[in-house]
Amino acid sequence: MLRKRIIFSLIYENGIFNQSRNFRLQKVGNIQWLEKNYKFQEIAFSLDELIVLNASKNKKNMQEFGQTLSALVNDVFIPIAAGGGIRTIEDAQYLFQNGADKLVINTILYQDPNLVKELAKIYGSQSLVASIDYKIIDNLPKVFIHNGTEPLDISLKEYLEYIQELNIGEIYLNSIDKDGTGFGYDFDTIQNIKDVIDVPLIIAGGAGNETHLKSGLELEYVSAVATANLFNFIGNGLPNARKSILKEGLNISKWM
């Protein structure tokens, strides 16, 4: 049985890392600030993977993002998935050259499925993480693209079925409503879509403490839990959470 994973997500915008709440960003600091205050080389043993998302609202500066990613990987010795603004094969290649082990793709899943298929053909499906952002509207989960600004006229279940036909390797499912709240994951929606998931599922949006992480990892159909909460989970938060989860006997790797 594959080990389950604890993943940390960093939200990047125009050279600055941010906290996000319901997809509204609050600036925290640049790469130098991050390295000074949140030393990922020291807490990497508490993580299985790092996701770095470029959430810049205007035209994304892929070169600047790549340079930041390159600086970040010097301190981190765990797999890194990176994305946001990938629109060409060259964009993907550039992120790989600057330290990414996987690509996180979102908008092109809907707008350019042929590119997604080509990326899978070149780099392998295991290199593609399909990021899906959704929000509950009229009691139903609605999919959004373009940094959560543009709704799609398709149900979440239909969209999940559709993207899996594109040969993606795993799914990063993120609740806009729960994002940054620290109130826990949207388990109702996660439960409702489990029957259509045939690839590893990462859940995101809402984790605020180790109990939330544990509750997600206990679900048989969840492969990984992710959090982007800098202030709750950095410092002793992640090591303590991992120790507690290991003590519960859950199927995660023991790094310490």
Side-chain angles (χ1 to χ4, degrees):
M1 181 184 297
L2 291 176
R3 298 280 189 186
K4 297 200 174 191
R5 293 167 290 155
I6 298 175
I7 296 173
F8 198 88
S9 299
L10 285 171
I11 312 301
Y12 169 94
E13 182 189 35
N14 299 325
I16 301 294
F17 291 98
N18 293 259
Q19 284 285 95
S20 175
R21 186 180 177 100
N22 306 127
F23 278 39
R24 295 189 296 272
L25 301 182
Q26 180 179 358
K27 293 180 180 179
V28 176
N30 61 13
I31 183 66
Q32 289 78 26
W33 184 92
L34 190 74
E35 290 174 339
K36 178 181 177 181
N37 293 278
Y38 299 105
K39 299 183 184 300
F40 281 98
Q41 69 270 32
E42 296 179 5
I43 63 166
F45 64 85
S46 302
L47 297 169
D48 299 287
E49 196 167 321
L50 188 65
I51 288 178
V52 189
L53 300 173
N54 186 352
S56 303
K57 296 293 191 297
N58 300 320
K59 181 174 175 58
K60 300 184 194 299
N61 187 328
M62 193 63 69
Q63 183 175 6
E64 181 184 68
F65 180 54
Q67 291 170 351
T68 300
L69 183 66
S70 181
L72 184 63
V73 300
N74 287 331
D75 291 329
V76 178
F77 301 99
I78 55 175
I80 292 181
I86 296 171
R87 297 294 182 269
T88 65
I89 298 292
E90 290 72 25
D91 289 339
Q93 184 179 22
Y94 185 71
L95 292 184
F96 280 128
Q97 290 172 341
N98 281 276
D101 299 288
K102 301 178 186 178
L103 302 174
V104 183
I105 52 178
N106 186 309
T107 297
I108 60 171
L109 292 165
Y110 181 77
Q111 292 191 336
D112 197 349
N114 288 331
L115 174 59
V116 177
K117 292 177 182 178
E118 186 65 16
L119 289 171
K121 183 178 178 181
I122 296 171
Y123 299 110
S125 60
Q126 78 284 349
S127 298
L128 300 183
V129 182
S131 173
I132 303 174
D133 303 316
Y134 72 93
K135 184 179 178 66
I136 303 299
I137 297 176
D138 296 329
N139 297 316
L140 294 173
K142 195 170 189 66
V143 178
F144 283 74
I145 57 174
H146 289 302
N147 296 320
T149 62
E150 182 180 327
L152 300 182
D153 188 21
I154 184 173
S155 74
L156 178 57
K157 279 190 174 184
E158 290 172 329
Y159 195 64
L160 288 165
E161 291 172 336
Y162 155 74
I163 65 165
Q164 288 175 99
E165 294 177 356
L166 303 179
N167 202 23
I168 51 91
E170 55 190 323
I171 292 168
Y172 180 90
L173 185 65
N174 191 22
S175 166
I176 297 173
D177 297 305
K178 293 280 192 171
D179 174 60
T181 63
F183 296 155
Y185 297 110
D186 177 15
F187 288 119
D188 290 339
T189 298
I190 295 165
Q191 169 73 17
N192 287 336
I193 56 88
K194 67 176 184 178
D195 292 337
V196 300
I197 301 292
D198 294 320
V199 298
L201 174 65
I202 305 165
I203 58 173
N209 57 55
E210 65 184 53
T211 300
H212 297 149
L213 300 180
K214 195 182 306 181
S215 297
L217 291 170
E218 286 174 340
L219 298 176
E220 182 181 353
Y221 47 89
V222 170
S223 298
V225 290
T227 179
N229 197 315
L230 277 168
F231 300 109
N232 282 11
F233 283 105
I234 301 298
N236 290 329
L238 282 167
N240 290 342
R242 194 174 193 94
K243 287 177 183 176
S244 176
I245 290 167
L246 282 166
K247 190 175 180 180
E248 293 287 329
L250 294 178
N251 185 31
I252 62 172
S253 297
K254 186 175 183 179
W255 305 128
M256 46 188 151

